[in-house]
Structures are given as C-alpha cells and as structure tokens.
Amino acid sequence: GQQVMQIPQYQHVQEGEDFTTYCNSSTTLSNIQWYKQRPGGHPVFLIQLVKSGEVKKQKRLTFQFGEAKKNSSLHITATQTTDVGTYFCGSNSGNTPLVFGKGTRLSVIA
Amino acid sequence: KAGVTQTPRYLIKTRGQQVTLSCSPISGHRSVSWYQQTPGQGLQFLFEYFSETQRNKGNFPGRFSGRQFSNSRSEMNVSTLELGDSALYLCASSLDRLSSYNSPLHFGNGTRLTVT
C-alpha cells in the first residue's frame, strides 16, 4: 500500500500567520487527497491531486503535488480561527484502500 | 442528499463483550470503508466493502469483522472487547474507485466506543 508521513504533528500559529503541512512518501503516489477534521467532528474531503506538479487553490488554501509525486503540501495563508482542526493527507492506488498520514493538528491563537 | 449515518453515536461496553456498529452510506454510494481513530494512531484502515464483498482488510485482529448488505448498508462487529479497542470508529462511503482518479470519502460522524 501507499504509506504517507505527515509533518509537523502539531502547529500553533497566531491568527494571521501562514501555516504549512507536508505529506511525504518514499514511493511514487498515484494521488493525494486532503481532508480536514474539526475538533469533535469527522474528516471532510478538501481536494484531490493526481498530476505531477499540480497546484490547486481554494481561497486561502493552496495544495501542491510534487514533481516526483512523492510529496504534497497544504499551505494556508493568513490563518483564521475557523482553520482550526486536524489536516490529513491520504493516498491510494488502484484497488488499495485510502491510507492516511497521522495528521497535523493546527491551533490558531486569536 | 442525506449524509453517511452511523449508529449509535456513543457506546460503553465492558471488556469481553461484543459490539456491532452500523453505517448507512450516502444514497448511490456502493463502497463503504471503516476506520478506527485514536489520538496516537490517527486514522487506521479496518475494511472496505463493495457490492457485499470485502475488497480490502487492514491489519487488525480477527476479532474485528464486518459485512455489507445488498442495500450497501454496512455493519462492523468487534468481539471480545479489549480496553485498547476504545476509539472513534468512522464509516465512509464513496462512489466506486476508478483507476488513478479515486472518489473522495464521505465520512459519518462516527461511533465513540468506550471499553471499561
């Protein structure tokens, strides 16, 4: 299966600061999916990347898939308190299940 | 369209007992996956079902089992509960997965299981 490592495990930022979480693999990934889980909630799908070097934006969120398709990043510009939660990356291939990294928990200090 | 529904939301069981959790997927979704979430281990894959067949199984002991019915509803069962089974059990449904473009997972609110 496709194993992914996510760093950092925790990140505390002041409101208005930027935030980045990274997802890395030792093998080439078929795709990367990003999910957000608010405290007390369930993971919610954010986006999927499938192409080498792909960059997608959702308002203040920028998602990137590395050229070698072995890493991905999620960058949030000017964090807000509504960004609080745990961000997970996951990957699968063919008929293998979606395997998640352990997540990055983001805290935003107002 | 209604989301993924999991019942019950909370369960308290005693060591040695067994438990059955239920999941109703989004209408039209034929694939159902189960994950165990704990603070230290993140989201651990349990099983995936499609058209009543188990397509994938994670690295969990045989005490963990599941099934899917013809209407795509799914259940998972844990027998001989252990303290370490305390976790949030999440069910997720999706349209079938095709090649390299895989349908995203839609998660339910989960069942919080506490084993005492």
Side-chain angles (χ1 to χ4, degrees), chain A residues 4-9 21-23 34 87-89 101-104:
Chain A
V4 291
M5 301 292 292
Q6 214 174 330
I7 54 171
Q9 194 173 355
T21 174
Y22 300 90
C23 190
W34 285 94
Y87 293 84
F88 292 96
C89 65
K102 292 195 174 182
T104 297

Side-chain angles (χ1 to χ4, degrees), chain A residues 79-97:
Chain A
T79 56
Q80 300 175 358
T81 54
T82 53
D83 296 323
V84 165
T86 302
Y87 293 84
F88 292 96
C89 65
S91 184
N92 58 4
S93 175
N95 281 325
T96 64

Side-chain angles (χ1 to χ4, degrees), chain A residues 64-108:
Chain A
Q64 197 159 4
F65 203 5
E67 294 288 342
K69 299 182 74 173
K70 289 185 175 182
N71 55 69
S72 179
S73 64
L74 157 57
H75 180 82
I76 302 178
T77 303
T79 56
Q80 300 175 358
T81 54
T82 53
D83 296 323
V84 165
T86 302
Y87 293 84
F88 292 96
C89 65
S91 184
N92 58 4
S93 175
N95 281 325
T96 64
L98 188 62
V99 175
F100 289 95
K102 292 195 174 182
T104 297
R105 183 184 295 181
L106 172 64
S107 299
V108 179

Side-chain angles (χ1 to χ4, degrees), chain A residues 9-10 30-31 33 35 37 40-45 48 50 56 86 88 92-102 105, chain B residues 9 35 37 39-45 48 55-57 88 90 96-97 99-110:
Chain A
Q9 194 173 355
Y10 303 96
S30 298
N31 60 53
Q33 295 185 20
Y35 291 75
Q37 184 175 23
H42 57 272
V44 174
F45 174 76
Q48 176 170 247
V50 296
K56 288 188 177 180
T86 302
F88 292 96
N92 58 4
S93 175
N95 281 325
T96 64
L98 188 62
V99 175
F100 289 95
K102 292 195 174 182
R105 183 184 295 181
Chain B
R9 287 296 307 276
Y35 289 83
Q37 186 173 32
Q41 296 300 316
L43 290 160
Q44 298 285 303
F45 172 75
E48 180 190 11
R55 190 152 60 175
N56 285 293
K57 187 177 192 303
L88 179 66
L90 289 161
D96 192 18
R97 295 185 274 112
S99 183
S100 63
Y101 190 84
N102 298 291
S103 301
L105 298 181
H106 298 263
F107 284 86
N109 288 323

Side-chain angles (χ1 to χ4, degrees), chain A residues 92 96-98 100, chain B residues 4 6 23 25 30-36 44-50 55-56 68 72 74 76 89-95 97 103-108:
Chain A
N92 58 4
T96 64
L98 188 62
F100 289 95
Chain B
V4 177
Q6 288 189 248
C23 172
R30 298 165 66 192
S31 176
V32 173
S33 300
W34 289 88
Y35 289 83
Q36 181 195 66
Q44 298 285 303
F45 172 75
L46 281 158
F47 341 89
E48 180 190 11
Y49 288 90
F50 178 78
R55 190 152 60 175
N56 285 293
Q68 186 181 33
S72 294
S74 179
M76 69 163 280
Y89 289 88
L90 289 161
C91 167
S93 73
S94 66
L95 297 170
R97 295 185 274 112
S103 301
L105 298 181
H106 298 263
F107 284 86

